[in-house]
Structures are given as structure tokens and as C-alpha cells.
Amino acid sequence: MTEHPHDTAAAPVGAPWLGRQGLVNIGLLALTLLAPLVAHLLGEAYYVNLATRIVLVAMAGVGLNLALGHGGMISFGHAAYFGVGGYVAGISAYHAFDGSLLMGLPGSDEMLAIWPVALLACGLLALAIGAVSLRTTGVYFIMITLAFAQMVYYFATSWPSYGGQDGLPIYLRNGLPLVDSQDPLTFFLVCFALLLLAMGLTSRLMGSRFGAALTMARLNETRLATAGISPYPIRLTAFVISAMITGLAGALYADLNGFVSPAMLSWHLSGELMVIVILGGVGRLFGPLAGAIVYVLMETLLGGLTEYWLFFLGLVLLGVVLFARQGVIGWLAGGEPHG
Amino acid sequence: MSATLLIEQLINGLQLGTMLFLMASGLTLVFGVMGLINLAHGSFYMVGAYVTALATASTGSFLIGLAAGTLAAAVAGGVVELLVIRRLYRRPHLDQVLATFALILIFSEGTRWLFGSSPLWLSPPEWLSGSVALPGGSRYPVYRLMIIAVGVLIAAGLYLLISHTRLGMRIRAGESDREMIGALGIDIQRLYTLVFALGAALAGLAGSLVGALQSVQVGMGEPVLILAFVVIVIGGIGSIKGALLGAVLVGVVDTLGRIFLPALFGHFMSPSEAAGVGTALAAMLIYILMAVILAFKPQGLFAAHD
């Protein structure tokens, strides 16, 4: 875990609004917000939903970026939290729908009840997984996070009560007080607000003493220890918060699709989340958003052209890893990451 | 729960363990020598199975198919090493993970493009399709026993190769000190290509052999790849001995768990509940095993080096 692609120097965490990178960031936000508004005015609900997808994938990436980019913890198992968040939404709606109890508790189709449970479930799961995984380093850490996620995946596929391999439908999108969550634009705005919240939280965290310690744990563990700070609890805390953000994105993603299935837990999704973070620019606050825009648009455009779009995605990804390691933001804005 | 069933399942577990060893030995060799983590290893397994199925169908000879599959995987490995992998040795693990993830997409979708989504079928040859009597009266397929025999031969061969040949000496030297063997005038790049192709050939052989037991299809390498990672993490990354022990352990535990856990839960649950919980737990069993082992030995059972 000590390694990191861009460990050249401890770049200070500055205000993300300044300079060329700030312009790029504001442009990304404006694009993400305005495109669905325009689509809504044109009556194109499909594109509003597409934008919501981008926002939620970005939020999952923001979560992963905290562990991967800022913490240097190469988690290959973040699909576990994305999927568990999704299943919390799905299972809760399922019990609310047929009025049955789960371990003595009723289900709910209210997002405000579902979100805290999703956050708690993902937080506890990440606490357990992180506590074991963070005892190891390097390749072991990558493999163990992958293995734990597979454990959750196989559990979901072989547990028949909630659909097993077929997944679980959410017949009616879960509700929010005061607003109409069925309306695509309203749901987009809710997701967008939560994405901003997640990015704001990341920014606040990384600007705090905690963030400084996390950065130092990544760059130079010995120096952190010299300051009398043990890296393990710092990393574990970041890992748990990271998982909770990704899990919340998963809960919303299930609501967007009206469906949750083991595919949300698969190791392919963990890989895709990593791709999104790297594609956008690892360790940059707006990296996951840039990555999600590029990834989802590429999926939509290439997917419309050819059934074998993953083949071309593979080629693009290979090219990015081999030749353009700063990601989209690095390419647009230049400069050091972690800003 | 008869003794016959237990013996049968133990052999099944050994057979799975053998396959896993063929996969895991290549992975762990590449990691041990080059420090490279290769997610695309399962793609060589798939290449082996596809080429074997196609070559067997066109020549009518399973042995020719087997040789073609193994060779094709070795060639694919060599080419991938030359084009992509050698740019990754000095890169962080994250880059290696992403680049080899990209290779999986390219291989899988490329294969789907070429051969379609429907699986190919490969049946074991006539002379291997019989069965032998087990103690207790049941019969066991010869083909599966043959897989175990091949695995044992390969394990022995690998041991001899690494401990008793000049190539093996270089591989061992490459594991402990890359700069030094370079300084001794050994062409490291060629050594790496060779080791990578050898690992790919082992994966291809595994795919070729298993192609006659299950359908040959896109994505078939992925579950096996993940199991192989569990194997090398348990055994200690970089250790062939660890890969052997881990493979047998994972093969046997997984196979026995799937058969006996649902039955075990049946003693104190309703049959349908027991089937659910038992199956779910059985699917997770080896990951639980891995977590327990790592909680005590974070570097695996035979830690070579990280």
C-alpha cells in the first residue's frame, strides 16, 4: 500500500477552485448539471436518467477515490459496498411491498430510512473487511479485498430468498418526503446534491489533520509513525468512510434502475470503479466525476455502435494506463494530483 | 453420508486442486520472478480451452487438440508479454491491475467476437471416457483421474525444472536479485518472456483439460482465476510449494463444503432453509478459510517475499 502512481512529492491540498484545474472542475460540474436540465426541457427522460447514472457512478468513484487515491489503498472490492447498498434498498422495498418482517423489523420504501441503514451496513462490513485486510500490504491487500467482495457476491448469488442470481426488482422507486422521486429530473437533482455532499466531505476530510495523516500514511509511513500517529486506525477510518460513500451510491443506483442483482457485486464492477477513478485522475477531487462522464458516455456511444464495445474499452484503457497516467483531469488541467 | 461419497468427493477436490495448481503456479511464478500481478491469466486458460476444442474438432485427435491449446496459450502469453507486460514490470501494482484488467476485456470480447456467445463442446476421447471402481462399489471417471495424474506430473516437472536446470537456476536468481543476474550477462528480457509464456502454457493446459468437463465459453477463466488468487494468497505469493498446498487445500475444502454443508445444516433447519444457508456458506467457505489464515499469517503459509 505504500506505493502510489504519482508519489513524487506531497502536494498540498489547495482550494479546488483555483487555476486551470479549477476551471476544468467548474466546467465539469456545470456540464453535469446543465445537460440533464436541457434534456428535461426537450422532454428526453432517457438522457436525464443517463446523467443520473453518471452522477451515481461518480459518487461510487468518489468513495473509492478516498481509499485508492488519497489513502493509497488499492481496494479491488468496492463492488461489495456498492452492491450491499443496492441490496439494502432492494430488500427494504421488498419487505415494505409485501408487509413481511426481516428479523423482526418492517421494510420501508422511504429513502430517508434506507440511506442510514445502507450507510450503517456498508460501514460495518467495511470495518470487518478493512480490519483484516489492512493487516496486509501490497498485492495481498488487493487480493484480499477482491476475495472478500467475491464472498459477498457468492453469498448473494446462492441466497434464494432475494432472487439469487436473478436479482430483486424494486417495483416502485423508493420515496422521499416533499419531492416526487419518480420524476427523473427531481431524482437526478437529489443524486447530484448527494454527489456534491460526498465531494464536499472528501474535500473537508482531506483538508483536515486527518487528511494530512492519511496522505502521510500513503507517502511515508515511517514519518507518520515518528509523529506518534499509528497509520492503521487512520487507514481503517478512511476505508470505512470510503465504503459508506460507495454504498450510498449503490442504494441510489438500485433505485435508479428499479433493480438490484449480483452484477452490482461482481468483481467486474470493482474493476470498472477503479477504471473510472484512474481514467478521471486518481487522487483528484473531481477525478471520479470526469472518469464517470467519460466512461458512461463511452459505454453509451460505443455500445450503440458495436455489441463488442468492451473490446474497445479494453484498448482505450490499456492506452490510458500505458501512456496517459494522469487521467482526464491531468490531461485537461495538468499539474499534480491530490488537489 | 457414506464413506464412498466421502472418497468420491475427496478425489473431486483433488482434481479441482490440480487444476488450481496449474493456474496458480503460473501466477505465482510470474509474481515471484517479475513482481507482476496478472489478472489476464484466466484469459490464457480460455485460449487453451478454445483452441483445444477447435483443434480437436477439426483433427479428431484430443491429444493434438491438447498440444495445440497449450502451445497457443504459450504463444499468446509470449506475445502479450512482448507487447504489453514488459512495459509494466517497473510500474506500481495498480497499473498492472488496470492494464491486465484491460487485457481481460480485450481477450473476452475478442473471443466473443470471433466465436460468438454460444459455448463450444469438447468431449473426452474414447480411451479416457471409461470409469474405474472405487472401494465401496461406486465408479469414478478415468478422465478426472487422468487430470490428477497430469497435475502431479506437472508439479514434479516444475520442481525439477526450477531446482535442477539452468533455466530454473536463472528463474531462482531472478527471484532473489534481478540486477545481479542482469550483471552476469543473462538476457533478463528473454528470461521474463520465457517465464511468462511458461505460466501461460500451464494455464492453457488447465483450460484444455477442463474443457472436456464443462462447456468452453467466454469468461470461463474468471472464476478459476479468482480461486487461483485465493490459492496463492493462502500459500504465500511467489511460492510454488505454497501454491501446491493452497491448491489442494482450496480444492478439497471447496468441494467437500458444497456437498456436506447443506447436509450439515439439514440436521437443525428445515430442508429448504438448510439448502439456502448451506449453499451460501459453502460458496463463501474458501474465502472464510483465506481470511482466517491471513488473520494469523498475513503473508500466507509459505511466505516467499512480497
Side-chain angles (χ1 to χ4, degrees):
Chain A
M1 258 170 311
T2 46
E3 58 181 88
H4 193 270
H6 312 294
D7 282 350
T8 41
V13 181
W17 313 107
L18 301 175
R20 197 165 131 207
Q21 184 162 333
L23 284 178
V24 171
N25 293 346
I26 290 170
L28 284 172
L29 275 185
L31 181 74
T32 315
L33 184 59
L34 292 180
L37 285 176
V38 172
H40 176 75
L41 290 175
L42 295 175
E44 298 272 8
Y46 170 80
Y47 290 102
V48 180
N49 285 333
L50 190 68
T52 313
R53 206 167 109 71
I54 290 177
V55 162
L56 293 180
V57 168
M59 198 199 298
V62 167
L64 176 61
N65 197 24
L66 183 60
L68 178 78
H70 297 292
M73 295 173 271
I74 307 178
S75 165
F76 202 162
H78 258 51
Y81 314 112
F82 194 67
V84 165
Y87 268 98
V88 168
I91 290 173
S92 179
Y94 170 82
H95 285 286
F97 185 73
D98 76 353
S100 57
L101 297 179
L102 172 64
M103 293 185 287
L105 291 169
S108 169
D109 53 9
E110 280 298 328
M111 290 188 197
L112 289 185
I114 290 170
W115 294 346
V117 178
L119 289 171
L120 189 71
C122 291
L124 288 176
L125 181 65
L127 190 64
I129 292 179
V132 177
S133 308
L134 284 168
R135 288 165 46 87
T136 66
T137 53
V139 185
Y140 284 90
F141 184 81
I142 304 178
M143 289 300 119
I144 288 161
T145 48
L146 173 64
F148 276 118
Q150 284 304 105
M151 196 149 106
V152 180
Y153 171 81
Y154 285 119
F155 185 79
T157 52
S158 49
W159 187 266
S161 312
Y162 299 114
Q165 295 188 332
D166 300 330
L168 192 63
I170 299 175
Y171 295 109
L172 193 63
R173 186 175 290 162
N174 293 306
L176 261 180
L178 302 178
V179 301
D180 176 15
S181 66
Q182 307 299 325
D183 177 56
L185 187 68
T186 310
F187 187 59
F188 166 81
L189 289 172
V190 169
C191 295
F192 186 72
L194 287 171
L195 171 68
L196 289 185
L197 203 65
M199 286 168 68
L201 175 72
T202 305
S203 172
R204 279 292 296 273
L205 269 180
M206 291 318 293
S208 70
R209 288 161 51 88
F210 173 82
L214 184 64
T215 305
M216 195 45 71
R218 188 187 84 234
L219 294 174
N220 191 335
E221 205 171 298
T222 321
R223 218 173 340 154
L224 184 70
T226 322
I229 301 172
S230 162
Y232 182 84
I234 303 277
R235 286 202 180 109
L236 188 56
T237 310
F239 190 78
V240 168
I241 299 173
S242 151
M244 290 166 87
I245 297 175
T246 301
L248 182 64
L252 289 157
Y253 196 79
D255 261 324
L256 172 68
N257 293 333
F259 184 65
V260 52
S261 77
M264 276 181 79
L265 293 159
S266 87
W267 74 285
H268 264 262
L269 198 123
S270 293
E272 278 166 32
L273 287 181
M274 285 167 81
V275 169
I276 284 158
V277 170
I278 312 294
L279 208 57
V282 66
R284 293 175 193 261
L285 186 57
F286 284 74
L289 181 57
I293 293 173
V294 172
Y295 187 89
V296 174
L297 288 184
M298 214 155 55
E299 178 186 49
T300 311
L301 294 176
L302 282 176
L305 289 176
T306 161
E307 194 187 331
Y308 310 103
W309 74 278
L310 280 171
F311 180 83
F312 297 98
L313 175 74
L315 288 179
V316 171
L317 175 59
L318 199 57
V320 169
V321 177
L322 292 179
F323 307 113
R325 296 161 70 212
Q326 291 282 313
V328 173
I329 300 229
W331 175 60
L332 287 174
E336 287 292 307
H338 307 294
Chain B
M1 203 130 323
S2 64
T4 321
L5 182 63
L6 183 66
I7 294 173
E8 207 177 301
Q9 293 306 325
L10 268 177
I11 307 180
N12 274 342
L14 272 181
Q15 184 251 303
L16 176 61
T18 314
M19 306 303 310
L20 290 178
F21 173 71
L22 289 181
M23 285 292 284
S25 55
L27 270 178
T28 212
L29 203 58
V30 165
F31 186 84
V33 179
M34 289 95 112
L36 181 106
I37 173 166
N38 177 24
L39 295 185
H41 199 63
S43 300
F44 302 129
Y45 176 88
M46 183 180 71
V47 167
Y50 265 89
V51 172
T52 301
L54 293 167
T56 305
S58 61
T59 65
S61 159
F62 179 70
L63 283 182
I64 293 180
L66 206 61
T70 310
L71 191 68
V75 170
V79 170
V80 165
E81 201 277 343
L82 285 172
L83 290 179
V84 178
I85 300 291
R86 63 173 44 185
R87 298 169 203 272
L88 295 169
Y89 294 132
R90 290 174 189 282
R91 294 287 193 86
H93 291 318
L94 182 60
D95 288 13
Q96 299 173 352
V97 164
L98 285 167
T100 52
F101 184 75
L103 284 175
I104 294 185
L105 298 179
I106 294 170
F107 267 98
S108 290
E109 290 305 304
T111 307
R112 200 195 303 280
W113 208 347
L114 284 174
F115 302 106
S117 296
S118 46
L120 305 181
W121 298 97
L122 168 69
S123 31
E126 201 86 353
W127 48 277
L128 280 173
S129 57
S131 60
V132 291
L134 284 186
S138 73
R139 303 190 66 81
Y140 198 84
V142 173
Y143 187 78
R144 287 178 182 264
L145 288 178
M146 189 274 293
I147 291 186
I148 298 180
V150 170
V152 171
L153 279 178
I154 296 284
L158 261 184
Y159 169 76
L160 288 177
L161 176 79
I162 289 175
S163 61
H164 285 93
T165 65
R166 183 168 289 266
L167 175 65
M169 192 176 71
R170 288 176 178 175
I171 289 176
R172 278 178 290 137
E175 283 183 330
S176 38
D177 194 337
R178 311 182 197 208
E179 272 79 34
M180 190 53 86
I181 69 159
L184 289 173
I186 288 159
D187 185 346
I188 300 188
Q189 298 230 311
R190 203 161 70 197
L191 176 71
Y192 282 11
T193 313
L194 216 60
V195 171
F196 199 82
L198 174 67
L202 290 171
L205 176 63
S208 301
L209 287 171
V210 103
L213 293 178
Q214 58 175 59
S215 60
V216 174
Q217 58 187 341
V218 172
M220 64 185 288
E222 291 170 13
V224 190
L225 174 79
I226 304 219
L227 284 183
F229 275 129
V230 172
V231 164
I232 65 173
V233 165
I234 287 180
I237 300 179
S239 160
I240 296 270
K241 211 194 312 172
L244 183 60
L245 184 81
V248 173
L249 200 62
V250 167
V252 170
V253 167
D254 190 55
T255 310
L256 293 189
R258 278 173 205 282
I259 296 297
F260 296 113
L261 268 186
L264 185 71
F265 279 92
H267 288 302
F268 45 87
M269 279 182 181
S270 73
S272 69
E273 254 184 288
V277 178
T279 315
L281 262 185
M284 297 163 65
L285 195 57
I286 54 160
Y287 302 102
I288 297 171
L289 174 76
M290 184 185 87
V292 170
I293 289 179
L294 289 173
F296 291 102
K297 300 199 89 167
Q299 302 289 302
L301 296 173
F302 293 92
H305 52 94
D306 189 16

